[in-house]
């Protein structure tokens, strides 16, 4: 293991620890909200720019504004989708509310040649990959399984079975190794895989097996765990009694906890981890410490298992508000920027509403369409029999 | 004890009008109160009471040692339940949705199912694995599946499916009392739809028994779980139109099968239709049809017909009601057996 990898295993503890989830503390604007473990942070909840000994970066104005714009638009997309579910246009929706910084930060750290394995909540990352939000809605509306070509956007379809995609990420990374696109030194060639999963998923065998494989084969995969403190009603403490980022040490690669509500830190840490993987130094685990501000999905009732005080505590660490106050304090944005962005968000919202409602129901025979590369004769017969049955109703009219 | 006191201690001991979710909840409560070796495990079963609220209130009543919110790992849940069973406990495991049982498949098939055989009966596996199954709730993929054939095909497992609140209440308690591992299938779309009178003082049917749910003369219609309701509705519709009269059965038990009542019926009707949401090929209907052919060959007037889910992945929810067997498809099959 390289020097750098080793130093990342022993993350410098100069980083300030603070309160444990679920235990609200008196409001301190500079409380880092790290859950008691050292955590990389470049922007405090109050919007003060702070520095990290290992992951600090200089950001251009364009980068800062792009982070802000993307977070605002993704939040709007998420709000709109939630409303569409309430109006019966979607069967269910999994909100990303509160996790925008982790996802936009990670998404911006990707290069076009990298590949992403998402969960079902990666709307911000999908946005960064250029997937049209409308094509994400189909899965939740119940018309398809997500309508984008993974190869066009270098992001796989959403995975609902918890943890399964993390193994796929490792295998995809092994493929990159074989294709000679790791460690060439050419920044336009070297590639890595970003594997998303949640705190709950961290308990799954698949996820742990993926870490074993990644370590064994030194695969260029970055494990990006959004610890949003809850797996439906189960707190992260049930999945892990140590901070999740520390898990990687046992598998033999570095891990780091980053403030997942800090887009600058999320970007910086993911960028470093991806670069490390691309250059052939192997896997790394990032625990993005964040919070699921909404319900698990639109069918969930979080009041049954968490307190309003806890949610309020996290509200204070809102990822967008924090970046906004920093940008304002630096005079990088003003009211007119915000007004223009609000208008753009409105347009996005109205486009989504219209496009979602226009998504057609699939043909009843479509389930037969892609079961196999080549439809077997007996399945074709089943389809034809069903088609004849459906036609008999038409004839009866 | 007077009636009022009895009610105060065990509200479930009086007749109640309950949903399936509530009936299962009451059944679990009875089983837990009767035997302190019974414990519940699963994702979100404790504080939340399960995503369908089947375990609602049980953690508060019996404590976190007996109603365990587990880490998110199905193989872990079933695998640790095996160890608990070895230690003399009777774990009742909840799999959150049918499509999420597969991470535990290895533990179920290789460990749970075979332990009795391998240990010559010295290590029984009195475990219940509850699985909400079937479609029709408008969910995303992996939430609407019917995996029963996988388990019926596995020697060493018992597989049962309830179709109504009263059966849910009794069958669950009987499954927990059973010394063999039982896969317990619950028709999820009926959890909160419709109530039934539950009389806890009534005598239940044994667990591994098929029930005739409507008598008829022309065609034997066989189902279980969520499709029993469809078949009953079809039978009523048919009767209402002076159509064929259907002899409708709720199998209830899929491993072992209890097919004598079916054979008796088919010997009279000469015609049978099997209905389930599981895929057609090697689904339970294939076995039922084969056994009917073996036992009633000379009485048959038509081949046994199957109305099933197709041999495709479960479709997106907007067309699930077209994919699922429904009243029209059942009656169409009935007509075809009669026209044969
Ligand atoms: C294998 C499997 N088991 C259970 C579920 C049901 N389920 C869906 S999301 C979820 C919680 C996931 O928590 P986490 O990994 O923390 O991700 P989050 O939803 O918080 O983003 C569960 C139990 C599932 N989808 N897949
Ligand atoms: Mg989570």
């Amino acid at each position: 293991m390289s020097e750098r990898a080793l130093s990342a295993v022993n993350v410098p503890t100069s980083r300030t620890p603070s309160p444990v989830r679920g235990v609200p503390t008196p409001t301190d604007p500079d409380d880092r909200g790290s859950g008691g473990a050292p955590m990389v942070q470049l922007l405090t909840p109050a919007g003060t720019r702070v520095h990290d000994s290992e992951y600090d970066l200089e950001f251009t104005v364009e980068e800062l504004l792009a982070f802000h714009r993307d977070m605002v638009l993704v939040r709007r997309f998420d709000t709109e989708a939630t409303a569409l579910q309430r109006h019966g246009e979607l069967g269910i929706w999994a909100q990303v509310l509160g996790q925008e910084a982790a996802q936009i930060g990670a998404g911006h750290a990707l290069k076009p040649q990298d590949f992403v394995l998402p969960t079902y909540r990666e709307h911000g990352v999908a946005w960064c990959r250029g997937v049209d939000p409308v094509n994400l809605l189909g899965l939740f509306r119940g018309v398809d399984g997500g309508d984008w070509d993974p190869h066009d956007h270098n992001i796989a379809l959403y995975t609902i079975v918890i943890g399964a995609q993390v193994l796929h990420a490792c295998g995809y990374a092994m493929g990159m190794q074989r294709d000679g696109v790791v460690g060439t030194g050419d920044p336009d060639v070297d590639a890595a895989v970003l594997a998303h999963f949640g705190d709950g998923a961290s308990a799954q065998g698949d996820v742990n097996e993926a870490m074993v494989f990644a370590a064994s084969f030194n695969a260029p995969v970055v494990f990006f765990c959004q610890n949003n403190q809850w797996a439906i009603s189960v707190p992260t403490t049930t999945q892990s009694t140590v901070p999740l980022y520390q898990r990687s040490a046992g598998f033999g690669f570095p891990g780091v906890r980053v403030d997942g509500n800090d887009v600058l830190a999320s970007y910086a840490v993911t960028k470093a981890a991806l670069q490390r993987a691309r250059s052939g130094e192997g896997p790394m685990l990032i625990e993005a410490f964040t919070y699921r501000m909404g319900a698990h999905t639109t069918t969930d009732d979080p009041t049954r298992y968490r307190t309003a005080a806890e949610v309020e505590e996290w509200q204070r660490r809102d990822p967008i508000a924090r970046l906004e106050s920093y940008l304002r304090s630096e005079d990088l944005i003003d009211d007119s920027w915000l007004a223009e962005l609000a208008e753009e968000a409105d347009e996005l919202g109205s486009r989504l509403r219209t496009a979602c409602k226009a998504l057609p129901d699939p043909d009843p025979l479509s389930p037969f369409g892609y079961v196999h590369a080549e439809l077997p004769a007996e399945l074709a017969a089943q389809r034809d029999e069903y088609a004849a049955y459906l036609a008999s109703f038409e004839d009866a009219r | 004890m007077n009636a009022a006191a009895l009610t105060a201690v065990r509200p479930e001991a009086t007749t109640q009008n309950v949903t399936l979710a509530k009936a299962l909840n009451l059944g679990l409560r009875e089983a837990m109160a009767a035997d302190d070796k019974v414990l519940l495990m699963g994702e979100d079963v404790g504080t939340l009471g399960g995503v369908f609220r089947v375990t609602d209130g049980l953690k508060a009543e019996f404590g976190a040692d007996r109603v365990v919110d587990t880490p998110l790992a199905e193989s872990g849940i079933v695998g640790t339940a095996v160890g608990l069973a070895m230690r003399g406990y009777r774990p009742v495991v909840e799999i959150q949705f049918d499509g999420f049982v597969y991470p535990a498949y290895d533990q179920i098939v290789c460990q749970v199912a075979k332990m009795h055989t391998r240990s010559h009966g010295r290590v029984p596996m009195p475990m219940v694995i509850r699985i909400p199954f079937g479609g029709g709730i408008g969910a995303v993929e992996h939430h609407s599946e019917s995996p029963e054939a996988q388990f019926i095909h596995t020697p060493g497992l018992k597989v049962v499916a309830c179709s109504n609140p009263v059966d849910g209440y009794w069958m669950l308690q009987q499954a927990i009392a059973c010394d063999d591992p039982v896969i317990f299938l619950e028709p999820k779309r009926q959890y909160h739809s419709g109530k039934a009178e539950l009389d806890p003082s009534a005598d239940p049917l044994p667990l591994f028994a098929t029930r005739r749910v409507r008598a008829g003369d022309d065609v034997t219609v066989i189902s279980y779980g969520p499709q029993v309701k469809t078949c009953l509705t079809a039978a009523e519709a048919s009767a209402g139109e002076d159509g064929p009269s259907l002899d409708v059965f709720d199998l209830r038990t899929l491993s072992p099968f209890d097919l004598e009542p079916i054979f008796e019926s088919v010997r009279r009707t000469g015609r049978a239709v099997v209905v389930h949401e599981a895929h057609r090929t090697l689904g339970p209907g294939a076995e039922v049809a084969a056994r009917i052919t073996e036992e009633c060959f000379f009485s048959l007037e038509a081949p046994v017909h199957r109305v099933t889910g197709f041999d495709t992945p479960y479709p997106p929810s907007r067309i699930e009601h077209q994919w699922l067997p429904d009243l029209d498809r059942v009656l169409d099959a009935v007509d075809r057996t009669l026209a044969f």
Side-chain angles (χ1 to χ4, degrees):
Chain A
M1 211 191 279
S2 71
E3 277 298 286
R4 187 182 163 111
L6 280 171
S7 76
V9 171
N10 307 306
V11 180
T13 47
S14 59
R15 293 173 190 141
T16 324
S18 79
V20 178
R21 179 205 61 74
V23 186
T25 49
T27 303
D28 162 9
D30 271 327
D31 156 32
R32 293 181 157 214
S34 72
M39 171 169 91
V40 179
Q41 191 177 68
L42 299 181
L43 206 53
T44 68
T48 310
R49 181 76 165 84
V50 290
H51 296 279
D52 186 89
S53 55
E54 198 174 355
Y55 290 100
D56 216 48
L57 276 185
E58 289 303 318
F59 295 92
T60 65
V61 175
E62 288 71 36
E63 280 173 333
L64 293 170
L65 295 184
F67 291 151
H68 180 246
R69 176 176 173 273
D70 283 350
M71 287 202 291
V72 168
L73 293 180
V74 164
R75 181 167 290 184
R76 181 49 175 270
F77 161 35
D78 192 54
T79 311
E80 206 60 53
T82 309
L84 283 164
Q85 194 281 335
R86 299 263 181 269
H87 290 111
E89 296 293 338
L90 298 180
I92 191 170
W93 180 246
Q95 279 184 272
V96 68
L97 186 67
Q99 298 174 226
E100 295 92 346
Q103 296 197 9
I104 297 301
H108 275 259
L110 290 160
K111 289 191 176 184
Q113 68 267 30
D114 294 331
F115 196 80
V116 179
L117 274 295
T119 70
Y120 41 82
R121 207 190 289 285
E122 251 63 74
H123 318 318
V125 185
W127 171 267
C128 292
R129 289 318 257 172
V131 175
D132 187 330
V134 177
N135 297 333
L136 280 178
L137 294 180
L139 173 67
F140 298 92
R141 182 170 169 86
V143 300
D144 57 43
D147 189 19
W148 67 91
D149 185 338
H151 302 299
D152 284 352
H153 297 278
N154 273 346
I155 177 169
L157 296 175
Y158 278 5
T159 299
I160 283 171
V161 179
I162 299 294
Q165 77 283 1
V166 185
L167 275 167
H168 310 164
C170 185
Y172 198 100
M174 290 162 65
M176 286 175 165
Q177 288 176 308
R178 279 154 185 75
D179 290 344
V181 296
V182 182
T184 69
D186 181 342
D188 296 325
V189 169
D190 286 348
V193 181
L194 189 60
H196 289 275
F197 58 103
D199 44 283
S202 75
Q204 278 287 21
D206 278 7
V207 172
N208 290 275
E209 289 171 25
M211 294 193 187
V212 170
F213 274 62
S216 287
F217 299 120
N218 202 41
V221 54
V222 172
F223 297 99
F224 193 90
C225 177
Q226 282 164 82
N227 176 0
N228 63 7
Q229 314 302 329
W230 292 99
I232 309 185
S233 71
V234 180
T236 304
T237 46
T238 299
Q239 320 290 350
S240 183
T241 55
V242 299
L244 279 168
Y245 76 94
Q246 288 179 4
R247 287 257 183 99
S248 67
F251 291 104
F253 53 87
V256 62
R257 176 179 281 186
V258 63
D259 185 341
N261 284 19
D262 171 358
V263 68
L264 305 188
S266 297
Y267 172 78
V269 168
T270 313
K271 185 176 172 161
L274 282 170
Q275 193 43 45
R276 193 178 164 278
R278 290 184 202 112
S279 64
E281 288 178 67
M284 186 160 158
L285 170 62
I286 298 171
E287 177 192 2
F289 200 75
T290 181
Y291 196 75
R292 195 196 75 212
M293 292 300 293
H296 170 69
T297 66
T298 42
T299 59
D300 177 39
D301 173 10
T303 62
R304 288 178 71 104
Y305 53 81
R306 69 185 191 185
T307 63
E310 176 182 317
V311 180
E312 273 163 34
E313 175 67 14
W314 279 92
Q315 185 76 51
R316 229 172 37 70
R317 304 185 193 135
D318 182 76
I320 297 184
R322 138 174 7 187
L323 182 62
E324 253 170 39
S325 53
Y326 171 62
L327 294 177
R328 272 198 189 269
S329 71
E330 297 287 312
D331 275 337
L332 295 174
I333 58 170
D334 55 16
D335 288 346
S336 80
W337 159 270
L338 291 173
E340 261 173 56
L341 192 53
E343 204 172 302
E344 192 181 354
D346 283 346
E347 278 161 26
L348 175 67
S350 100
R351 180 171 80 83
L352 285 178
R353 273 195 300 280
T354 314
C356 176
K357 291 176 192 168
L359 285 174
D361 285 356
D363 184 287
L365 295 178
S366 63
F368 295 91
Y370 294 104
V371 185
H372 304 270
E374 211 172 308
L375 187 68
E378 65 174 8
L379 191 53
Q382 216 177 86
R383 179 199 59 194
D384 295 345
E385 192 189 327
Y386 183 43
Y389 166 78
L390 291 174
S392 71
F393 288 89
E394 297 298 318
D395 299 345
R397 284 222 180 113
Chain B
M1 211 189 285
N2 67 25
L6 194 70
T7 315
V9 180
R10 298 169 63 225
E12 64 277 18
T14 53
T15 298
Q16 293 184 56
N17 201 24
V18 293
T19 60
L20 176 60
K22 181 67 184 173
L24 292 165
N25 180 273
L26 292 173
L28 286 171
R29 233 180 118 198
E30 283 287 294
M32 295 186 80
D35 180 352
D36 61 14
K37 293 292 185 195
V38 174
L39 46 88
L40 313 187
M41 317 170 59
E43 294 156 8
D44 306 285
V45 297
T47 307
L48 186 65
V51 295
F52 293 107
R53 309 291 187 260
V54 170
T55 54
D56 193 19
L58 297 177
K59 181 180 167 194
E61 184 168 348
F62 295 101
D65 269 359
R66 295 190 64 196
V67 183
V68 185
D69 269 328
T70 65
L72 203 178
E74 288 78 7
S75 181
I77 296 169
V78 175
T80 53
V82 169
L84 282 157
M86 282 180 183
R87 182 71 194 177
Y89 286 87
R90 302 183 90 87
V92 181
V93 162
E94 175 175 299
I95 299 293
Q96 199 162 78
F97 283 88
D98 34 52
F100 307 138
V101 69
Y102 301 111
Y105 193 62
D106 167 66
Q107 285 289 342
I108 296 174
V109 170
C110 298
Q111 305 301 329
V112 176
K114 292 182 178 146
M115 196 63 79
H116 198 269
T117 300
R118 293 176 55 232
S119 69
H120 290 201
R122 294 180 189 112
V123 184
M125 279 288 124
M127 180 190 304
V128 174
I129 301 178
R130 295 181 38 239
I131 308 179
F133 84 129
I137 61 161
V140 290
E141 52 187 354
H142 315 296
H143 290 75
S144 308
E145 313 211 333
S146 300
E148 51 270 30
Q150 323 266 359
F151 303 112
I152 301 168
H153 197 67
T154 302
L157 300 177
K158 302 266 186 352
V159 183
V160 302
C162 60
S163 69
N164 62 74
V166 176
D167 272 358
Y169 174 79
W170 290 116
M171 289 172 72
L172 188 48
Q173 293 177 69
Q174 292 165 325
I176 294 168
C178 177
D179 284 334
D180 285 321
V182 179
I183 305 288
F184 193 90
L185 301 163
E186 302 169 2
K188 71 169 83 73
R189 73 166 169 274
Q190 286 167 18
Y191 273 137
H192 302 283
S193 77
K195 293 187 174 182
E197 282 292 313
L198 174 64
D199 174 6
S201 64
D203 268 339
L205 200 64
L207 181 57
F208 302 110
T210 287
R211 174 190 281 130
R212 172 188 272 117
V213 288
R214 184 184 169 103
D217 301 319
D218 299 328
V219 179
T220 307
V221 175
I222 304 144
S223 192
Y224 57 88
Q227 287 294 330
V228 171
K229 197 172 170 201
T230 312
C231 295
L232 281 171
T233 318
E236 275 160 39
S238 186
E241 294 165 0
D242 281 336
S245 118
L246 308 184
D247 208 23
V248 184
F249 289 85
D250 177 356
L251 286 173
R252 297 168 85 252
T253 175
L254 303 174
S255 183
F257 281 113
D258 172 32
L259 298 181
E260 256 331 303
I262 307 285
F263 301 150
E264 184 277 327
S265 169
V266 175
R267 286 185 194 113
R268 282 188 297 110
T269 62
R271 295 176 164 87
V273 173
V274 195
V275 184
H276 55 64
E277 295 183 13
H279 307 293
R280 183 183 303 183
T281 299
L282 282 180
E287 182 63 27
V288 172
R291 301 241 196 133
I292 290 173
T293 311
E294 287 164 5
E295 298 295 326
C296 314
F297 187 70
F298 294 105
S299 314
L300 282 173
E301 303 284 347
V304 178
H305 278 56
R306 286 175 285 169
V307 181
T308 67
F310 299 108
D311 289 337
T312 76
Y314 196 83
S317 62
R318 286 261 171 167
I319 52 166
E320 68 181 329
H321 289 289
Q322 280 149 298
W323 191 91
L324 289 168
D326 64 4
L327 179 148
D328 286 327
R329 275 174 67 198
V330 172
L331 291 181
D332 176 68
V334 164
D335 289 347
R336 281 186 287 124
T337 61
L338 285 163
F340 186 82

